[in-house]
Amino acid sequence: MNRVLALPALFFCLFTYTPSYTTFNLIFFYMTWTTLILSHSPFKVELFGSIGVRLLFYILPSALLFLFDALVPSAAVLLKAHGEHGLPTGSKRRGVRGRELKVVGWSFLNIFISIAVQATIETLRIGYFNTRSALKVSFSIPIIPWNIAFHLACVLLLREILAYTIHRFILHNDKYRITRYISSLHQTWYHSLHAPYPSTAHYDHPIPYLLGNAVPTLLPAVFLRLHMITYAMYMSIVSLEETLAYSGYSAMPMDFFLLGGIARRVEKHLLNRAAGNFGPWGIADWFCQTTISEEEGEALITETEDEGDEPTPVLRGKEIFEAKVQEALDSHAKKTQRKHKKKLRQLL
């Protein structure tokens, strides 16, 4: 447990030990970082650092917010952007059931699956191919603020582009057989949710999750070979964004750093049946003109909330999947008929 919390605790010490960014802070931080590097291998620093950041900035706060929604729904509904519809059960009169627990369980499990994939890749790179680690773990530390800010801006922009591309052209693409299969998984899992609520940011089938979440998050960091400290900052930003943007709250620290707008984008994407808002921050959507307008979003949200206590979007994924299965069967039947007609023509 100490290994898991070592890097996040070290990260906090740098900025919270004193009010200012002083030389003493840097000396203390460098000594602690050097001790950590000397006592653990780069692989362990990367692995346990990733687990620690995810644990502190996503799993624990998301679990607490989910418990708040589940145990005190009458108070949570006052903070929800869509009232009762934004609660995990869709109503404050119903308690948490197996479905909601399944969502939370898969969300947390997917995080550890992505970390396991990251660890496997690092094991292959270091142990079998004798290459350097994907992230930079060295005695030197990034201390120049604008360099850190530049790397964070670059990696977040690359994440935005990758997430938008994969989300739009793979997770919501029915043109090809492989993308149709992945899209059906994404529809029947994530898009079966009636609304975003705490712990739903990572809820999806593992295949579309790894493609749509893990790859856009990890690949830019590997491509730029971020320093482990910068990577911890990057993952902290992403984890906090996912925790707050998918909470469904309207009154929280979400209005800072554009998180309020990101949260509304997430809701519109889910409630508008993936009509737009494919990117996490909205930059790629704005550039490609796939942003869902305020009028379109509010119209469908109001329609969904007025449909009754049991929100129908819960069944939306199943309906879409059944429609696609029926479409595939019809297509197969037509192809079979064409083959029979060709054979008859050849015989005649």
Side-chain angles (χ1 to χ4, degrees):
M1 190 65 180
N2 292 334
R3 293 178 180 178
V4 173
L5 299 178
L7 187 61
L10 185 62
F11 173 61
F12 270 118
C13 288
L14 178 61
F15 297 102
T16 61
Y17 190 78
T18 62
S20 60
Y21 197 70
T22 62
T23 304
F24 181 78
N25 273 27
L26 293 177
I27 295 174
F28 174 78
F29 181 83
Y30 183 75
M31 291 175 61
T32 312
W33 172 254
T34 304
T35 304
L36 184 65
I37 295 297
L38 291 174
S39 57
H40 301 291
S41 65
F43 173 77
K44 289 183 179 179
V45 172
E46 179 182 342
L47 178 63
F48 291 111
S50 300
I51 296 175
V53 170
R54 281 299 196 183
L55 184 66
L56 288 179
F57 292 99
Y58 179 78
I59 294 178
L60 289 180
S62 294
L64 291 175
L65 292 176
F66 179 83
L67 288 175
F68 175 70
D69 285 359
L71 299 178
V72 198
S74 57
V77 73
L78 301 176
L79 302 175
K80 291 291 184 179
H82 302 291
E84 291 188 40
H85 188 73
L87 293 173
T89 59
S91 173
K92 62 182 180 181
R93 301 178 186 86
R94 288 194 299 271
V96 174
R97 296 168 294 183
R99 172 178 171 76
E100 288 76 32
L101 296 177
K102 171 192 171 185
V103 170
V104 176
W106 270 108
S107 178
F108 294 161
L109 180 61
N110 277 335
I111 291 177
F112 288 103
I113 290 175
S114 65
I115 294 176
V117 171
Q118 179 182 351
T120 303
I121 294 173
E122 285 292 63
T123 302
L124 293 175
R125 286 173 59 93
I126 299 173
Y128 292 93
F129 297 104
N130 294 322
T131 59
R132 60 185 183 179
S133 59
L135 301 176
K136 186 178 181 181
V137 182
S138 63
F139 290 105
S140 62
I141 60 174
I143 59 174
I144 303 177
W146 49 85
N147 282 349
I148 297 175
F150 175 75
H151 284 109
L152 288 176
C154 289
V155 76
L156 287 171
L157 181 60
L158 288 175
R159 170 179 173 256
E160 171 75 13
I161 296 172
L162 273 176
Y164 177 87
T165 304
I166 294 174
H167 198 170
R168 181 181 179 183
F169 297 106
I170 296 180
L171 301 189
H172 293 286
N173 187 352
D174 297 333
K175 291 184 179 180
Y176 308 101
R177 181 178 298 178
I178 182 64
T179 57
R180 190 182 304 119
Y181 173 71
I182 296 173
S183 176
S184 66
L185 293 176
H186 182 61
Q187 293 286 347
T188 53
W189 282 61
Y190 176 73
H191 281 279
S192 66
L193 298 172
H194 62 276
Y197 54 85
S199 303
T200 57
H202 293 264
Y203 174 68
D204 208 339
H205 187 279
I207 295 177
Y209 168 77
L210 290 174
L211 289 173
N213 190 301
V215 170
T217 302
L218 182 60
L219 196 59
V222 174
F223 177 74
L224 297 177
R225 198 166 187 261
L226 293 181
H227 194 282
M228 187 60 206
I229 296 174
T230 309
Y231 177 74
M233 296 180 185
Y234 163 63
M235 290 303 298
S236 301
I237 294 172
V238 172
S239 298
L240 285 175
E241 170 212 315
E242 293 169 340
T243 299
L244 297 176
Y246 286 80
S247 66
Y249 293 122
S250 59
M252 272 193 68
M254 300 181 62
D255 293 333
F256 299 102
F257 306 109
L258 305 177
L259 283 176
I262 295 174
R264 303 291 82 79
R265 287 175 44 78
V266 169
E267 295 165 2
K268 290 177 185 177
H269 173 78
L270 182 60
L271 297 177
N272 281 268
R273 307 184 184 185
N277 291 359
F278 299 104
W281 290 67
I283 300 174
D285 284 290
W286 172 79
F287 184 80
C288 298
Q289 298 182 353
T290 54
T291 302
I292 299 176
S293 65
E294 196 69 27
E295 294 77 12
E296 294 174 348
E298 291 298 330
L300 188 55
I301 288 172
T302 304
E303 177 186 344
T304 304
E305 291 176 349
D306 292 341
E307 286 178 349
D309 292 335
E310 186 67 29
T312 55
V314 174
L315 302 176
R316 185 186 304 149
K318 294 181 180 179
E319 294 173 356
I320 293 174
F321 179 71
E322 291 174 357
K324 289 181 179 179
V325 170
Q326 187 62 40
E327 182 182 350
L329 292 174
D330 293 341
S331 176
H332 179 71
K334 290 180 180 179
K335 289 181 180 179
T336 305
Q337 290 177 358
R338 290 173 185 172
K339 289 181 181 179
H340 286 307
K341 288 181 179 179
K342 287 182 180 180
K343 289 181 180 180
L344 289 174
R345 289 175 183 174
Q346 291 175 357
L347 292 174
L348 294 175

